[in-house]
Amino acid sequence: MLVTSSLQSSLTEIAAEVSASAAGVRCEPSDAQVLEALTAADRIFALGAGRSGLALQMTAMRLMHLGLTVSVVGEVTAPAIGPKDVLLVASGSGTTAGIVRAAENAKRAGARVIAITTAPESPLGQLADERILVQAPQKQDHSAVASVQYAGSLFEQTVMLIGDVLFHELWARSGASAEELWPRHANLE
């Protein structure tokens, strides 16, 4: 498919923003602790609202391919969270009411919370045991100064990449081959 110069220009601009956002991602207290929390968890629960939630559903699928026990919050088959579990959540603002409430419930149940957010001082950022911090504007920022994209797109794109990076790192550490992961891939498609 031939990409027009207008589309190519937009693609280049968006790719540059995503690259800059990805370069600024940092984990608190450390990336090693984020990976250890995921590896040590009995179960991982993924939750995000809207497009952030869709990005985390992709992450949940990949973590399941590794053989981890993963649930997407809100699905009818998602069990109760407990003390040896991890809630992986994404909220750019860190103030999305349903996400913060779920993190509070997870903490009360004794679970760890890993938050992907732009706002470490937000309610979600403060609840989290580990934070993956993203440099991206809030979706209400319509100034086009921090991003030319609409309503949180840069954050959501970065969340998707973070999910792939988490999977990639855990996969490399597992030593498993792609052939060993493949039998877990959906076959009812």
Side-chain angles (χ1 to χ4, degrees):
M1 174 179 125
L2 180 63
V3 178
T4 67
S5 62
S6 175
L7 290 179
Q8 187 61 53
S9 176
S10 290
L11 181 62
T12 300
E13 187 172 37
I14 290 170
E17 283 192 358
V18 171
S19 181
S21 179
V25 170
R26 71 181 197 281
C27 296
E28 292 180 348
S30 72
D31 55 348
Q33 287 179 287
V34 168
L35 294 168
E36 175 56 30
L38 292 170
T39 310
D42 282 355
R43 297 174 301 182
I44 299 167
F45 294 77
L47 175 63
R51 290 169 31 127
S52 300
L54 293 173
L56 282 184
Q57 287 180 37
M58 293 168 33
T59 302
M61 181 183 72
R62 286 293 186 237
L63 295 177
M64 177 275 299
H65 289 159
L66 285 174
L68 301 174
T69 303
V70 186
S71 295
V72 174
V73 176
E75 295 293 323
V76 296
T77 56
I81 197 166
K84 295 182 180 179
D85 299 331
V86 165
L87 175 64
L88 175 63
V89 294
S91 170
S93 69
T95 61
T96 307
I99 305 297
V100 172
R101 193 169 40 257
E104 290 168 342
N105 290 340
K107 295 293 285 185
R108 273 195 293 280
R112 295 189 73 74
V113 174
I114 300 173
I116 305 172
T117 186
T118 64
E121 300 303 319
S122 67
L124 180 62
Q126 293 301 302
L127 283 166
D129 297 287
E130 287 86 22
R131 285 165 293 288
I132 302 174
L133 303 176
V134 176
Q135 293 180 354
Q138 299 295 313
K139 66 182 168 188
Q140 298 86 1
D141 179 352
H142 301 156
S143 69
V145 172
S147 174
V148 298
Q149 298 184 70
Y150 177 71
S153 291
L154 182 57
F155 174 74
E156 296 145 357
Q157 292 156 352
T158 307
V159 168
M160 190 212 57
L161 288 175
I162 288 167
D164 278 349
V165 166
L166 292 172
F167 164 78
H168 189 77
E169 285 291 318
L170 293 172
W171 181 28
R173 291 173 182 214
S174 77
S177 68
E179 290 78 23
E180 290 172 290
L181 271 56
W182 187 251
R184 295 187 193 103
H185 196 281
N187 62 1
L188 296 176
E189 300 174 316

